[in-house]
Amino acid sequence: MISKRVGFVGLGLMGAPMAANIAQAGWNITAWNRSPAAFDNLPNVGRAESVAALRDEEAMIFMLPDLPFIEEAAVDLLESWRNEPPKPGTAVVIMSSVSPTGVQQFGEAVHQASHGNAAVVDAPVSGGTAGAESGTLAIMVGAAEPQFQDLLPLLRAMGTTVRRMGPLGAGSLAKACNQLIVGTTTAALAEAAELAERSGMDVQALFDVLSGGLAGSRVLDNVGPRLAAKDYAPTGPAKFMHKDLGFVLGSAAAVGSAVPLASAALDLYAELKRQGLGDQDLSVVRQTIANLSGENQVSSNIN
């Protein structure tokens, strides 16, 4: 098992509460974030002057928006390791939603720069900001079994469902599958909400009855109230769903798997971005559908 020291890169909406839970679990955590204001509410998290300053930690977590951000942040770290290799067994844990093939390529770059002493693990999460704050995230891990066992105590400080899905890249593929389900289900609920309201039906009443039948789901429970209330305050930017669905299509193409729903959803979330709604909550896909529907609302009496 690794020592109870960890580096952390990226203290955004998800990263900050994840780091706080690691500290609360008794780990000595040092973090780097582009904006120093992120440390104001994290008194138990040490501050590193650079990502490279974390080079001697046995585990380093990256929680940045996408792999290009991670690669950019790690440039000086990898250069440091080229000059002086890290300790054998050093783990670079990518907890962002990234390309399954891209994270494998990054793993090879880390392996070479560290002279074989560091390895990348992909461990993306699901559960949103609420799960990050409560420490109840689902964590999907791509790693060798011994490496997974070494990291398990650290990962359990952030999540309650922690599962090894296979080797490097498998965690990101599992997250892509997760996003396929979340993205298409949210879009279907948004369509249902808009159809119901334009037909004179109370959307929350519809969702209440749906939740008691086969259409009930965790997505409906979590996103349904925001869709019904047209509450689009961000808990995570909707534009990231477009990115994640792109990973679904890329992975599907690599193995020859048809993904017609993912393809349709990718187009819808591309339209969401074109409408300038990408920085709002995922539930704003309802507004995208409303905009596509036009301003003319035909209401019928449903009694």
Side-chain angles (χ1 to χ4, degrees):
M1 189 178 88
I2 60 174
S3 65
K4 298 199 76 170
R5 294 181 55 89
V6 62
F8 202 106
V9 178
L11 299 174
L13 286 173
M14 295 289 290
M18 290 164 66
N21 284 329
I22 292 171
Q24 187 174 8
W27 292 71
N28 185 331
I29 180 169
T30 305
W32 179 86
N33 193 68
R34 191 178 300 275
S35 170
F39 291 90
D40 291 348
N41 296 318
L42 295 171
N44 297 322
V45 176
R47 180 178 170 185
E49 295 182 358
S50 66
V51 176
L54 301 171
R55 54 153 287 124
D56 293 326
E57 303 295 348
E58 292 183 39
M60 296 178 56
I61 292 172
F62 282 81
M63 194 61 183
L64 296 172
D66 199 358
L67 191 56
F69 293 90
I70 295 170
E71 291 171 329
E72 180 183 358
V75 167
D76 290 343
L77 171 70
L78 298 191
E79 185 59 30
S80 170
W81 283 350
R82 288 187 189 97
N83 296 327
E84 182 184 347
K87 300 173 185 175
T90 295
V92 177
V93 187
I94 308 301
M95 302 195 75
S96 316
S97 298
V98 300
S99 161
T101 55
V103 79
Q104 290 172 333
Q105 294 166 359
F106 183 61
E108 182 57 31
V110 168
H111 178 80
Q112 292 182 5
S114 68
H115 303 267
N117 285 358
V120 170
V121 170
D122 60 327
V125 303
S126 180
T129 52
E133 290 166 0
S134 63
T136 57
L137 292 168
I139 305 178
M140 300 152 258
V141 185
E145 180 63 31
Q147 197 173 33
F148 172 69
Q149 293 299 330
D150 284 345
L151 290 168
L152 196 52
L154 172 61
L155 298 175
R156 282 180 172 158
M158 297 172 280
T160 49
T161 303
V162 184
R163 182 75 178 267
R164 177 181 177 267
M165 307 307 299
L168 177 62
S172 296
L173 179 59
K175 179 59 185 287
C177 292
N178 179 88
Q179 296 302 84
L180 166 59
I181 296 167
V182 172
T184 55
T185 303
T186 300
L189 289 168
E191 286 189 23
E194 198 63 20
L195 172 61
E197 185 173 280
R198 286 170 180 263
S199 302
M201 186 182 297
D202 180 83
V203 174
Q204 188 56 60
L206 172 66
F207 284 173
D208 287 345
V209 73
L210 292 182
S211 67
L214 193 58
S217 70
R218 188 75 62 85
V219 178
L220 174 55
D221 293 343
N222 289 347
V223 184
R226 296 201 295 274
L227 288 168
K230 300 180 183 178
D231 175 9
Y232 307 140
T235 61
K239 62 187 176 185
F240 291 159
M241 182 56 72
H242 182 257
K243 165 184 73 80
D244 293 344
L245 289 169
F247 299 152
V248 174
L249 265 66
S251 299
V255 297
S257 181
V259 283
L261 289 180
S263 298
L266 184 73
D267 290 342
L268 177 60
Y269 286 100
E271 174 64 24
L272 182 152
K273 291 172 64 179
R274 281 193 291 270
Q275 292 182 12
L277 303 174
D279 290 328
Q280 298 188 61
D281 190 76
L282 182 64
S283 56
V284 80
V285 69
R286 179 178 177 184
Q287 185 61 51
T288 304
I289 292 166
N291 294 341
L292 289 171
S293 302
E295 295 301 323
N296 296 323
Q297 179 169 329
V298 178
S299 180
S300 63
N301 256 334
I302 301 178
N303 295 314

